[in-house]
Amino acid sequence: MAALDQCYARRVLPDWVFDEDDRRWMEIALAEAEAAADRGEIPVGAVVVGNGAIIGRAGNRRRELVDPTAHAEVLAIRQAAATTGDFRLNGCTLYVTLEPCPMCIATCRQSRLDLVIWGADDPKAGACGSVVDLAEDRRLGPPLAHRGGLEAPASRQLLKLFFAERR
Amino acid sequence: MAALDQCYARRVLPDWVFDEDDRRWMEIALAEAEAAADRGEIPVGAVVVGNGAIIGRAGNRRRELVDPTAHAEVLAIRQAAATTGDFRLNGCTLYVTLEPCPMCIATCRQSRLDLVIWGADDPKAGACGSVVDLAEDRRLGPPLAHRGGLEAPASRQLLKLFFAERR
């Protein structure tokens, strides 16, 4: 029970709390992560869902685009804003295979997303509770809801494989 | 003296601590902010300087580009990375007319900038000490050096004028 309490405190939830839709969108985010690995990029993928449809999807392209901001989340959010013609994404949900870093979670708040669902936790740079908590810091306005742990083993496996091949 | 101590604590420094070069680059950032206002965007401007030359400059273009990430700092950093062909901007300095928000200061850290020099403080969203301190939070790796207060009155004046015209 202590371990489960700790999970909840860090918003890493057991897989069964997510529903079939969540799982379907995360599978697509995982496919984006896999495609990123094939391009030689750290395998992280993201999908923005609005009104039950994908309005943005991307994998990490930092090296390819020579752009320090080209994390999967940022690219998917920019695409979603272009798709909807509105830079505010109220009502939308972001699915991402890895706990967002500070830049990405701050971008999620800038874009007024309703919810972020993430996969594996990131003990090195995670900004949803692992290293800092920027999602729920009320000094920065209304807190951003988020849930972690969906398909975490699949996400972690992709990252492990990627780094194992390179070290 | 108490007031001055408080300034230092918040990294809002008296104008005389900056040198002529700093002032020259900030003037260009202010010109970018003014151009942003002319486009109907919140007037914030930024310049990235590397090896004594401008390698990125931009004003806020959030509405025009329909992009929640299109703050002046992010655009200038992306341009600088494209200019140098390297997504790491070690050795470079960012000049920005307003204290960066969490997204922008996290982007500065992602891009490994050496130093951020900012103008007016932002009591609503500033992430260099005004609301949160993400520049020097050591949990996120080596702290990012920053100094605030350069040409602050000019920056504040642009913002005041912009909002006065719209309210």
Side-chain angles (χ1 to χ4, degrees), chain A residues 14-62:
Chain A
D15 205 67
W16 52 260
V17 304
F18 300 99
D19 67 21
E20 277 318 300
D21 277 342
D22 291 335
R23 226 169 288 279
R24 189 158 51 104
W25 304 129
M26 188 58 95
E27 290 296 340
I28 296 167
L30 282 164
E32 288 288 346
E34 227 173 317
D38 292 341
R39 294 189 303 266
E41 306 267 8
I42 296 174
V44 181
V47 170
V48 179
V49 175
N51 289 324
I54 292 177
I55 54 173
R57 59 184 285 176
N60 180 22
R61 289 186 183 266
R62 212 158 59 128

Coordinates of all heavy atoms in Angstrom, one line a residue, chain A residues 14-62:
Chain A
P14 N -1.7 3.2 -11.8 CA -1.7 1.9 -12.4 C -2.5 1.9 -13.7 O -3.4 2.7 -13.9 CB -2.4 1.0 -11.4 CG -3.1 2.0 -10.4 CD -2.4 3.3 -10.5
D15 N -2.1 1.0 -14.6 CA -2.5 1.1 -16.0 C -4.1 0.9 -16.1 O -4.7 1.5 -17.0 CB -1.9 -0.1 -16.8 CG -1.8 0.2 -18.3 OD1 -1.1 1.2 -18.7 OD2 -2.5 -0.5 -19.0
W16 N -4.7 0.2 -15.2 CA -6.1 -0.1 -15.3 C -7.0 1.1 -15.1 O -8.2 1.0 -15.4 CB -6.5 -1.3 -14.4 CG -6.1 -1.1 -12.9 CD1 -5.1 -1.7 -12.3 CD2 -6.8 -0.3 -11.9 NE1 -5.0 -1.3 -11.0 CE2 -6.0 -0.5 -10.7 CE3 -7.9 0.5 -11.9 CZ2 -6.3 0.2 -9.6 CZ3 -8.2 1.2 -10.7 CH2 -7.5 1.0 -9.6
V17 N -6.5 2.2 -14.6 CA -7.3 3.4 -14.4 C -7.6 4.1 -15.8 O -8.6 4.9 -15.9 CB -6.7 4.5 -13.5 CG1 -6.4 3.9 -12.1 CG2 -5.5 5.1 -14.1
F18 N -6.9 3.8 -16.8 CA -7.1 4.4 -18.1 C -8.1 3.6 -18.9 O -8.3 2.4 -18.7 CB -5.8 4.6 -18.9 CG -4.8 5.4 -18.1 CD1 -3.8 4.8 -17.4 CD2 -4.8 6.8 -18.1 CE1 -2.8 5.5 -16.7 CE2 -3.9 7.5 -17.4 CZ -2.9 6.9 -16.7
D19 N -8.8 4.3 -19.8 CA -9.8 3.6 -20.6 C -9.4 3.3 -22.0 O -8.2 3.6 -22.4 CB -11.2 4.4 -20.6 CG -11.1 5.7 -21.4 OD1 -10.2 5.8 -22.2 OD2 -12.0 6.6 -21.1
E20 N -10.3 2.7 -22.8 CA -9.9 2.2 -24.1 C -9.4 3.3 -25.1 O -8.5 3.2 -25.9 CB -11.0 1.4 -24.8 CG -11.0 -0.1 -24.3 CD -9.6 -0.7 -24.2 OE1 -8.9 -0.7 -25.3 OE2 -9.2 -1.1 -23.1
D21 N -10.1 4.4 -25.0 CA -9.8 5.6 -25.8 C -8.4 6.1 -25.5 O -7.5 6.3 -26.4 CB -10.8 6.8 -25.6 CG -12.0 6.6 -26.5 OD1 -12.0 5.8 -27.4 OD2 -13.0 7.2 -26.2
D22 N -8.1 6.2 -24.2 CA -6.8 6.7 -23.7 C -5.7 5.8 -24.3 O -4.7 6.2 -24.9 CB -6.7 6.6 -22.2 CG -7.5 7.6 -21.5 OD1 -7.8 8.7 -22.1 OD2 -7.9 7.4 -20.3
R23 N -6.0 4.5 -24.3 CA -5.0 3.5 -24.7 C -4.8 3.6 -26.2 O -3.7 3.5 -26.7 CB -5.6 2.1 -24.4 CG -4.6 1.1 -23.8 CD -5.2 -0.1 -23.2 NE -6.0 0.2 -22.0 CZ -5.4 0.3 -20.8 NH1 -4.2 0.1 -20.6 NH2 -6.2 0.6 -19.7
R24 N -5.9 3.9 -27.0 CA -5.8 4.0 -28.4 C -4.9 5.2 -28.8 O -4.0 5.1 -29.7 CB -7.2 4.2 -29.0 CG -7.3 4.1 -30.5 CD -8.7 3.8 -30.9 NE -9.7 4.6 -30.3 CZ -10.4 5.7 -30.9 NH1 -10.1 5.9 -32.1 NH2 -11.3 6.4 -30.3
W25 N -5.1 6.3 -28.1 CA -4.3 7.5 -28.4 C -2.9 7.3 -28.1 O -2.0 7.7 -28.8 CB -4.9 8.8 -27.8 CG -6.3 9.1 -28.1 CD1 -7.3 9.3 -27.2 CD2 -7.0 9.2 -29.4 NE1 -8.5 9.5 -27.8 CE2 -8.3 9.4 -29.2 CE3 -6.5 9.0 -30.7 CZ2 -9.2 9.6 -30.2 CZ3 -7.4 9.2 -31.7 CH2 -8.8 9.5 -31.5
M26 N -2.7 6.7 -26.9 CA -1.3 6.5 -26.5 C -0.5 5.5 -27.4 O 0.7 5.7 -27.6 CB -1.2 5.9 -25.0 CG 0.2 5.9 -24.4 SD 1.0 7.5 -24.4 CE 0.7 8.1 -22.8
E27 N -1.3 4.5 -28.0 CA -0.6 3.7 -29.0 C -0.1 4.5 -30.2 O 1.0 4.2 -30.7 CB -1.6 2.6 -29.5 CG -2.1 1.5 -28.5 CD -0.9 0.6 -28.1 OE1 0.1 0.6 -28.8 OE2 -1.0 0.0 -27.0
I28 N -0.8 5.5 -30.6 CA -0.4 6.3 -31.7 C 0.8 7.2 -31.3 O 1.8 7.3 -32.0 CB -1.6 7.2 -32.2 CG1 -2.7 6.3 -32.7 CG2 -1.1 8.2 -33.2 CD1 -4.0 6.9 -33.0
A29 N 0.8 7.7 -30.0 CA 2.0 8.4 -29.5 C 3.2 7.5 -29.5 O 4.3 7.9 -29.8 CB 1.7 9.0 -28.1
L30 N 3.0 6.2 -29.1 CA 4.1 5.3 -29.1 C 4.6 5.0 -30.5 O 5.8 4.8 -30.7 CB 3.6 3.9 -28.4 CG 3.6 4.0 -26.9 CD1 2.8 2.8 -26.4 CD2 5.0 4.0 -26.3
A31 N 3.7 5.0 -31.5 CA 4.1 4.8 -32.9 C 5.0 6.0 -33.3 O 6.0 5.8 -34.0 CB 2.9 4.6 -33.8
E32 N 4.6 7.2 -32.9 CA 5.4 8.4 -33.2 C 6.8 8.3 -32.5 O 7.8 8.7 -33.1 CB 4.7 9.7 -32.7 CG 3.5 10.0 -33.5 CD 3.9 10.6 -34.9 OE1 5.0 10.9 -35.1 OE2 3.0 10.7 -35.8
A33 N 6.8 7.8 -31.3 CA 8.1 7.6 -30.6 C 9.0 6.6 -31.3 O 10.2 6.8 -31.5 CB 7.8 7.1 -29.2
E34 N 8.4 5.5 -31.8 CA 9.2 4.5 -32.6 C 9.7 5.1 -33.9 O 10.9 4.9 -34.2 CB 8.2 3.3 -32.9 CG 8.9 2.0 -32.5 CD 7.9 0.8 -32.7 OE1 6.7 1.0 -32.2 OE2 8.3 -0.2 -33.2
A35 N 8.9 5.9 -34.5 CA 9.4 6.6 -35.8 C 10.5 7.5 -35.5 O 11.4 7.7 -36.3 CB 8.2 7.3 -36.4
A36 N 10.4 8.2 -34.3 CA 11.5 9.1 -33.9 C 12.8 8.3 -33.7 O 13.9 8.7 -34.2 CB 11.2 9.8 -32.6
A37 N 12.7 7.2 -33.1 CA 13.9 6.3 -32.9 C 14.5 5.9 -34.2 O 15.8 5.9 -34.4 CB 13.6 5.1 -32.1
D38 N 13.7 5.6 -35.2 CA 14.1 5.2 -36.6 C 14.9 6.4 -37.2 O 15.7 6.1 -38.1 CB 13.0 4.8 -37.4 CG 12.3 3.5 -37.0 OD1 13.0 2.7 -36.2 OD2 11.2 3.2 -37.3
R39 N 14.6 7.6 -36.8 CA 15.3 8.8 -37.4 C 16.5 9.1 -36.6 O 17.1 10.2 -36.8 CB 14.3 10.0 -37.4 CG 13.1 9.9 -38.3 CD 12.4 11.2 -38.4 NE 11.9 11.7 -37.1 CZ 10.7 11.5 -36.6 NH1 9.8 10.8 -37.2 NH2 10.4 12.1 -35.4
G40 N 16.8 8.3 -35.5 CA 17.9 8.6 -34.7 C 17.7 9.6 -33.6 O 18.6 10.2 -33.0
E41 N 16.4 9.9 -33.3 CA 16.0 10.9 -32.3 C 15.6 10.1 -31.0 O 15.0 9.0 -31.1 CB 14.9 11.7 -32.8 CG 15.0 12.4 -34.1 CD 15.6 13.9 -33.9 OE1 16.0 14.3 -32.8 OE2 15.7 14.5 -35.0
I42 N 15.8 10.7 -29.9 CA 15.3 10.1 -28.6 C 13.8 9.8 -28.8 O 13.1 10.7 -29.2 CB 15.6 11.0 -27.4 CG1 17.1 11.2 -27.3 CG2 15.0 10.5 -26.2 CD1 17.5 12.3 -26.2
P43 N 13.4 8.6 -28.6 CA 12.1 8.1 -28.9 C 11.0 8.6 -27.9 O 10.7 8.0 -26.9 CB 12.1 6.6 -28.9 CG 13.3 6.3 -28.0 CD 14.3 7.4 -28.1
V44 N 10.4 9.8 -28.2 CA 9.3 10.3 -27.5 C 8.3 10.7 -28.5 O 8.6 11.3 -29.5 CB 9.7 11.5 -26.6 CG1 8.4 12.0 -25.8 CG2 10.8 11.1 -25.6
G45 N 7.0 10.4 -28.3 CA 5.9 10.7 -29.2 C 4.8 11.4 -28.5 O 4.6 11.1 -27.3
A46 N 4.0 12.2 -29.2 CA 2.9 12.9 -28.6 C 1.7 13.1 -29.6 O 1.9 13.1 -30.8 CB 3.3 14.3 -28.1
V47 N 0.5 13.1 -29.0 CA -0.7 13.3 -29.8 C -1.6 14.3 -29.1 O -1.8 14.2 -27.9 CB -1.4 11.9 -30.0 CG1 -2.8 12.1 -30.6 CG2 -0.6 10.9 -30.8
V48 N -2.2 15.2 -29.8 CA -3.2 16.1 -29.3 C -4.5 15.7 -29.8 O -4.7 15.6 -31.0 CB -2.9 17.6 -29.6 CG1 -4.0 18.5 -29.0 CG2 -1.5 18.0 -29.1
V49 N -5.5 15.5 -28.9 CA -6.8 15.0 -29.2 C -7.8 16.1 -28.9 O -7.8 16.6 -27.7 CB -7.2 13.7 -28.5 CG1 -8.6 13.3 -28.8 CG2 -6.2 12.6 -29.0
G50 N -8.7 16.5 -29.8 CA -9.7 17.5 -29.6 C -11.0 17.0 -30.2 O -11.0 16.5 -31.3
N51 N -12.1 17.0 -29.5 CA -13.4 16.5 -30.0 C -13.3 15.1 -30.5 O -13.8 14.8 -31.6 CB -14.0 17.4 -31.0 CG -14.5 18.7 -30.4 OD1 -15.0 18.7 -29.3 ND2 -14.3 19.8 -31.2
G52 N -12.5 14.2 -29.9 CA -12.4 12.8 -30.2 C -11.6 12.5 -31.5 O -11.6 11.4 -32.0
A53 N -10.9 13.5 -32.0 CA -10.0 13.3 -33.2 C -8.6 13.9 -32.9 O -8.4 14.8 -32.1 CB -10.7 14.0 -34.4
I54 N -7.7 13.3 -33.7 CA -6.3 13.8 -33.6 C -6.2 15.1 -34.3 O -6.5 15.2 -35.5 CB -5.3 12.7 -34.2 CG1 -5.3 11.4 -33.3 CG2 -3.9 13.3 -34.3 CD1 -4.5 10.3 -33.9
I55 N -5.7 16.1 -33.6 CA -5.5 17.4 -34.3 C -4.0 17.8 -34.3 O -3.6 18.8 -34.9 CB -6.3 18.5 -33.7 CG1 -6.0 18.6 -32.2 CG2 -7.8 18.3 -33.9 CD1 -6.7 19.8 -31.5
G56 N -3.2 16.9 -33.7 CA -1.7 17.1 -33.8 C -1.0 15.8 -33.4 O -1.5 15.2 -32.5
R57 N 0.0 15.5 -34.1 CA 0.8 14.3 -33.7 C 2.3 14.5 -34.2 O 2.5 15.0 -35.3 CB 0.2 13.0 -34.2 CG 0.1 12.9 -35.7 CD -0.6 11.7 -36.2 NE 0.3 10.5 -36.1 CZ -0.1 9.3 -36.4 NH1 -1.3 9.0 -36.8 NH2 0.7 8.3 -36.3
A58 N 3.2 14.1 -33.3 CA 4.6 14.3 -33.7 C 5.5 13.4 -32.8 O 5.1 13.0 -31.7 CB 5.0 15.8 -33.5
G59 N 6.7 13.2 -33.4 CA 7.8 12.6 -32.6 C 8.8 13.6 -32.4 O 8.8 14.7 -33.1
N60 N 9.7 13.4 -31.5 CA 10.9 14.3 -31.3 C 11.7 14.5 -32.6 O 11.9 13.5 -33.3 CB 11.7 13.6 -30.2 CG 13.0 14.3 -29.9 OD1 13.1 15.5 -30.1 ND2 13.9 13.6 -29.3
R61 N 12.0 15.7 -32.9 CA 12.8 16.0 -34.2 C 13.9 17.0 -33.9 O 14.2 17.8 -34.8 CB 11.8 16.5 -35.3 CG 10.9 15.5 -35.9 CD 10.1 16.1 -37.0 NE 9.2 15.1 -37.6 CZ 9.4 14.3 -38.6 NH1 10.6 14.3 -39.2 NH2 8.5 13.4 -39.0
R62 N 14.4 17.0 -32.7 CA 15.4 18.1 -32.3 C 16.6 18.1 -33.2 O 17.0 19.2 -33.7 CB 15.8 17.8 -30.9 CG 16.1 19.1 -30.1 CD 16.0 18.9 -28.7 NE 16.9 17.9 -28.2 CZ 17.8 18.1 -27.2 NH1 17.8 19.3 -26.6 NH2 18.6 17.2 -26.8

